Amino acid sequence: PYVNVRNLMNLYVPTTGIRAVLLQHGENDRGNPTDLIVSHHYGVIDKVRQEFNKPNLSWIIALSSYAGGRFDNVRQAQQQVINRSDYLTFQGPDLDNISSLEDRPDGIHYSPSGQEKVGLLWAQSITNSYLQTMQPYMAETQPLASIACADGNQLTLTQPAGYQYIWNLSLIHIS
């Protein structure tokens, strides 16, 4: 669901910055045709870039389709998005290689040992050559509010110049 991506972009990116999004998705697409999977990938990537005004945000895409076996329709879609030379997409790890019952006891989800292998493959796939070609978006300066004691058991909340706050009494619980 896109709302999870939106929440992460709103919560973390302003304070941390971002260089790329790591995309690991595919197992749930196994019943869809390749062209629809490609369209969904483009839709999410384009939406994030547009909504957050980051037109050159790179994406590193894992090959990830395993659900009791590999699904070529999913892998072909992922590879098609990765191979688009004007799209700032890069190939991440091939996670379908992690397929043992020890690593995926239910045939889909990773065990702790599988998670460790996934992390290692991700770390190995993010190369310096990738990082050198990706435009970073730096963290934004965050406004700092100040709170001070005031007379009569009150507090004074001060925002920096150019910022304002809206007081909403419906959110305050007084006991």
Side-chain angles (χ1 to χ4, degrees):
Y2 182 75
V3 72
N4 295 324
V5 174
R6 176 183 286 136
N7 289 342
L8 290 170
M9 292 294 292
N10 279 322
L11 182 62
Y12 295 110
V13 172
T15 57
T16 64
I18 190 169
R19 184 180 301 264
V21 175
L22 308 181
L23 176 60
Q24 179 177 331
H25 176 80
E27 292 82 359
N28 290 336
D29 282 335
R30 62 189 179 271
N32 294 326
T34 300
D35 60 339
L36 182 61
I37 299 168
V38 169
S39 175
H40 287 168
H41 274 67
Y42 286 153
V44 169
I45 293 169
D46 291 342
K47 177 76 172 162
V48 169
R49 288 174 176 167
Q50 178 273 324
E51 184 172 340
F52 296 96
N53 194 29
K54 298 189 180 344
N56 295 315
L57 181 60
S58 295
W59 291 67
I60 303 175
I61 302 171
L63 297 176
S64 183
S65 71
Y66 197 89
R70 293 175 188 236
F71 285 82
D72 288 337
N73 59 317
V74 175
R75 292 175 64 84
Q76 289 168 3
Q78 292 162 340
Q79 201 64 64
Q80 187 175 331
V81 175
I82 291 164
N83 289 343
R84 184 171 160 184
S85 62
D86 65 339
Y87 207 57
L88 301 170
T89 49
F90 301 85
Q91 184 168 328
D94 187 342
L95 300 178
D96 287 348
N97 291 327
I98 301 173
S99 58
S100 73
L101 281 178
E102 176 187 336
D103 295 329
R104 292 189 191 231
D106 65 357
I108 299 175
H109 301 97
Y110 298 109
S111 67
S113 68
Q115 292 172 14
E116 188 173 326
K117 290 175 184 175
V118 166
L120 182 60
L121 288 179
W122 268 111
Q124 292 169 347
S125 72
I126 302 171
T127 64
N128 283 335
S129 64
Y130 280 4
L131 295 175
Q132 291 170 355
T133 60
M134 296 175 179
Q135 173 187 329
Y137 287 92
M138 305 309 286
E140 301 164 13
T141 302
Q142 300 299 303
L144 296 176
S146 64
I147 300 174
C149 292
D151 293 336
N153 246 359
Q154 300 291 313
L155 293 175
T156 300
L157 176 64
T158 306
Q159 291 284 74
Y163 290 90
Q164 68 178 27
Y165 62 90
I166 299 170
W167 200 258
N168 186 341
L169 293 176
S170 68
L171 298 177
I172 298 173
H173 174 72
I174 300 174
S175 54

